[in-house]
Amino acid sequence: MSETAMRDEKGVNGEAKGLGRCFEEIVGVNHMSSGKILRFCQEYVQKTPRYTFHSTNCQKFAIELIKFATRNRHSRLPPVCGSTVYTYATRPSAHAREGEGKASVGRCEARGAYFGVQADGPAASFSVKNGAMLDAKAGSAGLQVLNAQVEVGLQLRTGMAVKNGSFELNLLGFGLKLGRNFGVSTPFLWIDTE
C-alpha cells in the first residue's frame, strides 16, 4: 500500500499540460500496488483501445484511475476540461510492440468538443491483434464532426480484423466496417464513425 497523493500533472511554472488549465489538488490516497495499477491500465486499454476526444480521452482515464487507486474514497474530482480547443503536432516516429507497429512522418490536429481537423504525413502500420491488417498512407487530411470522421488522401489498407465490436475487411484501400462502428473506404476517401 502506497501513501502517494494523486494530483494533476502540471507543466512548467504550474501551467496545466494538455487541454487548457485544469485544477491541481490532492484528491485522495493511492491504496494500490504498482502491479495492480499496471493491471488496471492494461485492462483499461483492452476495454477502450481507441482514443476519442468526446468520451474515452485521457481525462476519463485519469478519473477512472483515481477511482480505482483510491478505492472510490476521494474528494470531489475536478470537472473534465473538454470544452476547450485542443491542438497537437507530432514529429516523425516509429514503434513496434506486441503484434503491432507504426512509422509516421508526423501529424497535426486541432479538436474542439464537436469538431476537429487533422493532417497526416506518410505513414505505414501493421497489426496482427484481433486479425491481420496492413496500412500504408501517402498522407491524408480529415474532418471530424461529432463521432464521424471523413478523410481524403491516398491509402492502401489491406486485411481483416474484429475489434471494438466491429468487423472490418479491406483490400488495397477498398473496405467496409460493420458492427458497433460503421465505415467505408476507397483508396482516396474513407468515412468512419467512432
Side-chain angles (χ1 to χ4, degrees):
M1 177 164 66
S2 172
E3 295 295 320
T4 305
M6 307 290 289
R7 64 174 70 212
D8 258 355
E9 184 178 349
K10 295 294 173 181
V12 180
N13 298 325
E15 293 182 22
K17 292 182 176 181
L19 297 173
R21 180 139 175 93
C22 293
F23 300 91
E24 178 179 7
E25 62 187 66
I26 296 175
V27 295
V29 176
N30 175 19
H31 294 283
M32 299 297 168
S33 69
S34 58
K36 287 182 180 178
I37 289 178
L38 176 62
R39 276 191 299 283
F40 169 86
C41 293
Q42 291 169 335
E43 290 171 7
Y44 187 89
V45 168
Q46 285 180 338
K47 288 189 301 189
T48 56
R50 186 167 179 177
Y51 179 95
T52 60
F53 183 74
H54 311 294
S55 58
T56 54
N57 57 34
C58 52
Q59 292 181 14
K60 170 136 174 70
F61 168 76
I63 288 170
E64 294 300 315
L65 178 59
I66 289 168
K67 289 177 180 179
F68 171 77
T70 63
R71 295 185 185 143
N72 253 347
R73 289 182 288 221
H74 51 78
S75 63
R76 183 185 63 80
L77 295 174
V80 174
C81 305
S83 61
T84 59
V85 173
Y86 139 77
T87 61
Y88 83 93
T90 62
R91 59 181 167 223
S93 65
H95 76 272
R97 68 173 186 271
E98 298 178 14
E100 62 184 10
K102 181 175 184 176
S104 172
V105 170
R107 175 183 184 102
C108 295
E109 184 171 352
R111 293 204 188 272
Y114 304 106
F115 302 97
V117 293
Q118 104 269 336
D120 289 290
S125 65
F126 75 91
S127 176
V128 292
K129 290 184 170 185
N130 306 314
M133 193 70 69
L134 294 171
D135 198 1
K137 287 184 183 178
S140 67
L143 172 67
Q144 180 179 4
V145 178
L146 297 175
N147 68 335
Q149 175 130 357
V150 176
E151 285 188 63
V152 295
L154 177 61
Q155 60 93 14
L156 295 174
R157 190 172 179 90
T158 298
M160 176 182 72
V162 177
K163 62 181 181 179
N164 300 334
S166 297
F167 172 77
E168 184 175 357
L169 182 63
N170 294 276
L171 180 62
L172 298 175
F174 293 95
L176 185 63
K177 181 192 295 184
L178 297 172
R180 186 173 173 202
N181 300 323
F182 172 78
V184 64
S185 63
T186 71
F188 305 101
L189 172 74
W190 46 105
I191 301 168
D192 199 356
T193 63
E194 296 176 353

